Amino acid sequence: MANSDKNIWITPNTSSSTDDPKIVFSGDSTTEGYALINPNLWTLDKAFLRQALRNGLDNITTFNHGQSGMCTEHWNQTYVQDDINASPDLL
């Protein structure tokens, strides 16, 4: 289900209740971490995961599906469906 007002997608949770929540970060070069001094530490997914750990949420799995150089239309047509097909709990 797409929520165009906030540009987030919440997909049906097809995992069992014992699975860890899976979050996919999808977007452009900012999401990917392009031009960061150390993208291994400061990408959006890693920053989210560090904050979740600080709040006692240690069972979350994150994936960074950011794509550098893609305009919104191309990203929407090319990558969003693959991200949805990954069956995340939150996209």
Side-chain angles (χ1 to χ4, degrees), residues 2-82:
N3 180 339
S4 60
D5 293 335
K6 295 184 181 179
N7 292 325
I8 63 169
W9 285 266
I10 300 173
T11 59
N13 184 348
T14 57
S15 60
S16 70
S17 61
T18 60
D19 289 343
D20 293 343
K22 180 167 66 170
I23 300 173
V24 171
F25 290 86
S26 183
D28 59 12
S29 58
T30 303
T31 304
E32 182 186 37
Y34 177 76
L36 293 175
I37 293 171
N38 190 344
N40 290 325
L41 294 175
W42 298 110
T43 56
L44 183 60
D45 59 313
K46 290 190 176 47
F48 178 88
L49 193 54
R50 276 194 309 280
Q51 188 60 41
L53 289 170
R54 285 185 192 124
N55 287 294
L57 302 171
D58 60 355
N59 64 333
I60 296 173
T61 303
T62 62
F63 299 91
N64 187 327
H65 289 187
Q67 302 293 329
S68 272
M70 298 300 136
C71 68
T72 302
E73 183 178 353
H74 184 255
W75 166 75
N76 222 353
Q77 293 173 352
T78 308
Y79 298 104
V80 172
Q81 191 59 52
D82 287 340

